[in-house]
Amino acid sequence: KMNFLVIDGASDKICFFSYFNNNSYNKSYESSKNNFEKFSILLFDFLNQNNIKLNKLSHLFVNQGPGSFSGIRTSIAVAKGLSIVNKLNLYGFSTHDLKSTNYMDIIFLYKKGHLTKKLIKPLYLS
């Protein structure tokens, strides 16, 4: 299986999920102004605590909404930056694509070709 990272800030929680070296890791935080301001720090803490190496990941998946404006903007900006710097394949998925936020389902969606590649279009709730 491939090593990947999911960044999801679209809902009422900020969620990070990674499948790395045949293990899955996840962490969630409250969606708050304070946490959006330190979003990158939270993400790097998650990666470091679980010994997840960005240069060993092949794919990065980000929730493009619909959902929270601040969460989606922050998630997409961080994901785009990480994908450029680390040469990761970046894909966007929709909140509606996941049933009960089971992030392993993203691999199924990826293999079926149901994810947006590169051009991530945010979908904000009005």
Side-chain angles (χ1 to χ4, degrees):
K1 289 194 176 189
M2 66 178 160
N3 291 327
F4 65 90
L5 173 66
V6 177
I7 298 175
D8 185 352
S11 69
D12 58 342
K13 294 220 177 290
I14 297 168
C15 299
F16 303 131
F17 176 88
S18 184
Y19 189 82
F20 187 75
N21 291 343
N22 296 314
N23 293 300
S24 59
Y25 306 93
N26 65 303
K27 180 86 178 184
S28 60
Y29 301 90
E30 175 190 1
S31 282
S32 66
K33 184 176 187 248
N34 185 41
N35 283 342
F36 290 129
E37 288 175 359
K38 59 182 184 179
F39 193 92
S40 296
I41 294 167
L42 296 175
L43 176 58
F44 283 107
D45 284 349
F46 166 75
L47 296 171
N48 290 333
Q49 287 166 4
N50 296 298
N51 293 314
I52 298 166
K53 308 292 181 222
L54 283 168
N55 63 351
K56 302 284 187 212
L57 296 174
S58 57
H59 293 73
L60 177 55
F61 301 99
V62 63
N63 189 340
Q64 57 194 15
S68 149
F69 177 83
S70 297
I72 293 168
R73 292 295 306 150
T74 305
S75 296
I76 291 175
V78 169
K80 283 183 175 180
L82 286 175
S83 72
I84 292 167
V85 170
N86 297 284
K87 297 177 179 55
L88 298 171
N89 292 306
L90 177 61
Y91 292 86
F93 66 93
S94 165
T95 302
H96 303 305
D97 291 336
L98 291 183
K99 296 171 183 71
S100 70
T101 59
N102 180 357
Y103 294 115
M104 287 304 287
D105 288 348
I106 288 177
I107 296 306
F108 174 76
L109 296 168
Y110 165 76
K111 288 181 177 173
K112 291 276 188 197
H114 291 277
L115 302 177
T116 310
K117 180 152 187 194
K118 296 206 190 278
L119 180 63
I120 307 299
K121 288 187 166 189
L123 303 168
Y124 304 115
L125 290 175
S126 50

